[in-house]
């Protein structure tokens, strides 16, 4: 095999990659050493702004295969035929820590999935929990600030974490999930994934259904206790990345079965819970799971930076037959996710290979900007309408229109019959085994007992009492015991 020649960025061969050019032996370095300056300048720019949330992540390629007929509910082409396969890319992540954080920590996990469909890319951006801490996006920056490093101490502060939760009672349901056994997955392969939000499916007749996504792991759910997690972090801070990489390299391809819950749109207004409140679930007894297909991961990225760090997801990347719902948190994310990538990666981030459509052609009037690679032919115009056979609109909406009414302004979400901040948290607690309850109480008390203000502790205890009398009593006793030690 012939020796490959090292070149500069412009393609010129490099004569010496071991010694900088100097003014004589031992003299100062010359500014004319183009290879040195180019190499150092590139090195200084090898990092891009990390994600504010979900910074620490791992990814893999795979496919989604339809196993059950769902054409009665959606006209999405990639779901139109049993046996149909669509290439996918997934990014798993922790939420609160930075890019250098450990994997085995108590934190929700991002479950962001990109389907490269022949009608364009469809992004489903969810978590490994079916609910979230807040229900309105205007609170999201404050929530994340309370969970991230304090601007003075430079570390995550229990006072900040629990003070925000004390003043946000809707977080009680998600706290119960997070502090329970599934708060620290043993690996990305051994956890479920959820769309979390409510979305809309529309069939060929124009009938609308609200939908929730459930990806059930076929490896079985496995989680770590706080003690096991601490040991794992000490052994390998990159434990989830290591596990995913090595499993796929061995040919042990992880998979999930996708189920959905489907609600006819007309039933939403009178449902006992607000179906668009992401702090709540739809009980399976009301809307049973219906199987759709399976997700299989079978290929690792060749370059983690190019394909995982630069992977960009946005929940507003829909395809015909799928659309948004009035879920307020989803509505906020329709803007925020895409805007985050425009900041991190530039306006042309959708042209990067991991983000570019693979099964659909892109044809629009977007031009120029940083890192533009798509120009069109010399005859193409960059405006519309035009008389030069440029791309034109279809006139066909992706999803069904939603009726709206009332006055503009800031409104609390309308209350449904069983809407409160605590009922479902109590239901979740009562579903747990005795051992699960013991670990939940210990996890909550371990954090809450570190809070320095009594009023913040009391507010949080009131939330657990409201969810379930036994729940509140046991947390209160555990916190008191830890504080007296």
């Amino acid at each position: 095999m012939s020796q490959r020649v090292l070149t500069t960025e412009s393609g010129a061969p490099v004569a010496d990659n071991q010694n900088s050019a100097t003014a004589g032996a031992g003299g100062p370095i010359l500014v004319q050493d183009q290879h040195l300056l180019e190499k150092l300048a590139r090195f200084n720019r090898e990092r891009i702004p990390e994600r504010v949330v979900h910074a620490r992540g791992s990814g893999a390629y795979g496919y989604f295969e339809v196993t059950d007929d769902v054409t009665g509910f959606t006209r999405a082409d990639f779901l139109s035929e049993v046996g149909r396969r669509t290439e996918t890319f997934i990014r798993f992540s922790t939420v609160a820590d930075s890019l250098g954080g450990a994997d085995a920590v108590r934190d929700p996990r991002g479950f962001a999935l990109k389907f490269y469909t022949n009608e364009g890319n469809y992004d489903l951006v969810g978590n490994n929990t079916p609910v979230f801490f807040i229900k309105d996006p205007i609170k999201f920056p404050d929530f994340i600030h309370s969970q991230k490093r304090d601007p003075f101490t430079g570390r995550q502060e229990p006072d900040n974490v629990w003070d925000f939760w004390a003043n946000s009672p809707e977080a009680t349901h998600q706290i119960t999930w997070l502090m329970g056994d599934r708060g620290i997955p043993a690996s990305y392969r051994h956890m479920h994934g959820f769309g979390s939000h409510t979305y809309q499916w529309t069939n060929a007749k124009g009938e609308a259904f609200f939908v929730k996504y459930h990806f059930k792991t076929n490896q079985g759910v496995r989680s770590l206790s706080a003690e096991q997690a601490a040991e794992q972090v000490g052994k390998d801070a990159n434990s989830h990345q290591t596990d995913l990489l090595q499993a796929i390299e061995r040919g042990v391809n992880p998979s999930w079965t996708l189920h959905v819950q489907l609600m006819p749109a007309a039933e939403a207004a009178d449902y006992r819970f607000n179906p668009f409140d992401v702090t709540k679930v739809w009980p399976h007894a009301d809307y049973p799971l219906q199987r759709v297909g399976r997700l299989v991961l079978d290929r690792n990225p060749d370059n983690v930076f190019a394909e995982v760090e630069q992977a960009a997801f946005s929940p507003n990347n829909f395809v015909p037959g799928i659309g948004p719902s009035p879920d307020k948190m989803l509505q906020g994310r329709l803007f925020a996710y895409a805007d985050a990538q425009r900041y991190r990666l530039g306006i042309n981030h959708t042209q990067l290979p991991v983000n570019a459509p693979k099964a659909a052609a892109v044809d629009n009037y977007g031009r120029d900007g940083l890192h533009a690679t798509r120009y069109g032919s010399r005859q193409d115009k960059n405006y519309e309408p035009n008389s030069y056979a440029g791309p034109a609109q279809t006139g066909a909406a992706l999803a069904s229109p939603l009726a709206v009414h009332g006055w503009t302004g800031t409104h609390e979400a309308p209350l449904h019959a069983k809407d409160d901040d605590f009922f479902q948290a109590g239901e979740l607690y009562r579903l747990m085994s005795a051992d699960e309850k013991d670990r939940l109480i210990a996890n909550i008390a371990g954090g809450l007992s570190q809070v320095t203000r009594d009023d913040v502790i009391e507010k949080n205890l009131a939330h657990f009492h409201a969810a379930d009398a036994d729940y509140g009593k046991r947390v209160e006793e555990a916190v008191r015991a830890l504080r007296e030690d």
Side-chain angles (χ1 to χ4, degrees), residues 231-249:
E231 182 179 354
Q232 184 67 267
V233 169
K235 290 179 178 178
D236 179 8
N238 305 302
S239 56
H240 288 30
Q241 164 70 14
T242 301
D243 176 84
L244 182 65
L245 174 74
Q246 293 182 350
I248 295 175
E249 288 297 292

Side-chain angles (χ1 to χ4, degrees), residues 428-471:
L428 178 58
Y429 175 78
R430 289 184 286 274
L431 284 173
M432 294 180 179
S433 68
D435 288 345
E436 288 176 316
K437 289 178 180 177
D438 289 344
R439 290 188 289 270
L440 170 69
I441 300 304
N443 291 333
I444 292 175
L448 188 54
S449 63
Q450 298 178 52
V451 174
T452 59
R453 287 183 50 167
D454 290 343
D455 61 323
V456 172
I457 293 176
E458 292 302 319
K459 282 184 179 179
N460 278 286
L461 291 176
H463 298 167
F464 299 122
H465 279 290
D468 182 273
D470 179 67
Y471 191 6

Side-chain angles (χ1 to χ4, degrees), residues 371-451:
H371 305 315
T373 61
R374 192 174 64 239
Y375 303 107
S377 72
R378 66 178 65 181
Q379 289 83 20
D380 283 346
K381 304 301 179 183
N382 65 343
Y383 58 88
E384 196 279 337
N386 64 59
S387 304
Y388 294 85
Q393 65 193 38
T394 66
L398 298 184
S400 293
L402 298 173
V404 296
H405 59 86
W407 299 95
T408 61
T410 56
H411 305 282
E412 292 186 4
L415 288 177
H416 290 234
K418 293 293 290 185
D419 272 346
D420 65 57
D421 295 324
F422 310 111
F423 176 79
Q424 290 198 354
E427 291 282 271
L428 178 58
Y429 175 78
R430 289 184 286 274
L431 284 173
M432 294 180 179
S433 68
D435 288 345
E436 288 176 316
K437 289 178 180 177
D438 289 344
R439 290 188 289 270
L440 170 69
I441 300 304
N443 291 333
I444 292 175
L448 188 54
S449 63
Q450 298 178 52
V451 174

Side-chain angles (χ1 to χ4, degrees), residues 21 115 117 138 164 206 214 226 275 312 333 346 367-368 391 458 474:
F115 298 84
T117 89
I138 204 166
F164 183 87
H214 301 250
R333 284 171 167 156
R367 296 288 188 275
D368 306 336
E458 292 302 319
R474 293 189 62 185

